[in-house]
Amino acid sequence: HGAFRFDASEQMRRRPMGTLVDALRKIGVRVSYQRGEGYLPFTVEAAGVRGGRIELDAGLSSQYLTGLLMAAPLMRDGLTVDVTRMVSAPYVRMTLSMMRAFGVTVQEDGSTFRVPPQAYSAQDYGIEPDASSCSYFLAAAAVTGNEVTVTGLGSRSLQGDVGFARVLRDMGADVEFADHSMTVRGRGGLRGIEVNMRDISDTMPTLAAIAPFADGPVRITDVYNTRVKECDRLDACVTNLRRLGIKAETGEDWIEIQPGSPRPAVVDCRGDHRIAMSFSVTGLLAPGVVLDDPACVRKTYPGFHRDLADLCARWDLAPAS
């Protein structure tokens, strides 16, 4: 109960919030925008949530749906959500699994989710490592012909982004899954590929950044939602690849990269941690790759550059950049 004002950096202010706010308004929540409709900052006048039934478009972000589902058991009337579109579905499955672990069962009927009023129960729960952040080290092993094992993620992982290792396998890397670990070994080359990354779109920049080292074109499809992240990631990838002298094209929801030898250039990170970390992997094999804002990785992984350097030292690999 009370007034809660939400705000963030200028970068995060550009991320659309209207879908979630509109859904909350439909179930009795009072929200007022301070600057522009659909974006931060806004204020929530909280007095509990009535709940009910809503229709939701989760085609830009699964986070709209997962946020509502996590809150739903605490709503007076529970919540029924009819989903018209969905992206990053593995994150929704992960949310439902975690809710079950804490004593709440969500009823699924096709694209409809029903959550009756329930009480969460406290549990001891082990948190998996971040699979999206692991993608950079898996990619580094694949392109440099080295080996890396990530513990805490494996065949039983709830996170969809472990699927990035399967993409590397399809490109020719050796990949092994155990219950709680996965290993990638580079074999000295990668094949071109066409891959739908709708469900693992956070790893799209990782693949785009190593695509020049494949032996054929790499085409990534169904990733429109990456245009509304911390930056327009499709545009950021194609722009930076072209700066590096790589032929790349993009459309509304796809990017295609031709093989080539990246030349020295300054990478425009656009304040986006995933662009910075992805093109750091490019720099392992390409001399003269410089990040204009390396510190932006602090959003999710402040020690990334140190950890990448430590891994290169274990491989006895001197980064080209």
Side-chain angles (χ1 to χ4, degrees), residues 111-123:
S111 58
T112 297
F113 298 82
R114 295 183 178 87
V115 190
Q118 300 171 67
Y120 283 113
S121 59
Q123 303 288 337

Side-chain angles (χ1 to χ4, degrees), residues 167-304:
V167 174
L168 295 175
R169 181 177 58 196
D170 291 342
M171 296 178 74
D174 287 334
V175 177
E176 295 180 6
F177 281 96
D179 287 349
H180 302 292
S181 68
M182 55 184 177
T183 299
V184 171
R185 300 182 190 89
R187 301 179 63 183
L190 293 173
R191 296 189 293 266
I193 192 174
E194 179 169 345
V195 57
N196 184 312
M197 299 187 80
R198 179 182 181 88
D199 285 343
I200 57 171
S201 58
D202 275 348
T203 63
M204 178 279 292
T206 318
L207 181 56
I210 64 170
F213 306 119
D215 65 4
V218 171
R219 183 178 178 87
I220 305 168
T221 62
D222 208 1
V223 286
Y224 173 78
N225 66 309
T226 64
R227 290 192 179 276
V228 290
K229 299 290 186 176
E230 283 77 349
C231 71
D232 181 338
R233 287 178 178 162
L234 278 174
D235 182 72
C237 286
V238 76
T239 298
N240 283 310
L241 287 164
R242 289 172 178 171
R243 283 189 178 190
L244 294 167
I246 301 300
K247 293 181 180 179
E249 300 294 334
T250 189
E252 183 180 38
D253 66 349
W254 59 269
I255 184 171
E256 183 168 316
I257 304 113
Q258 302 298 322
S261 299
R263 67 192 180 200
V266 176
V267 172
D268 178 9
C269 296
R270 305 192 184 184
D272 189 329
H273 57 137
R274 301 219 177 277
I275 299 300
M277 289 188 279
S278 295
F279 282 92
S280 294
V281 180
T282 312
L284 298 181
L285 294 179
V289 175
V290 177
L291 306 181
D292 72 343
D293 184 14
C296 69
V297 302
R298 66 182 177 270
K299 179 190 174 190
T300 51
Y301 198 160
F304 171 77

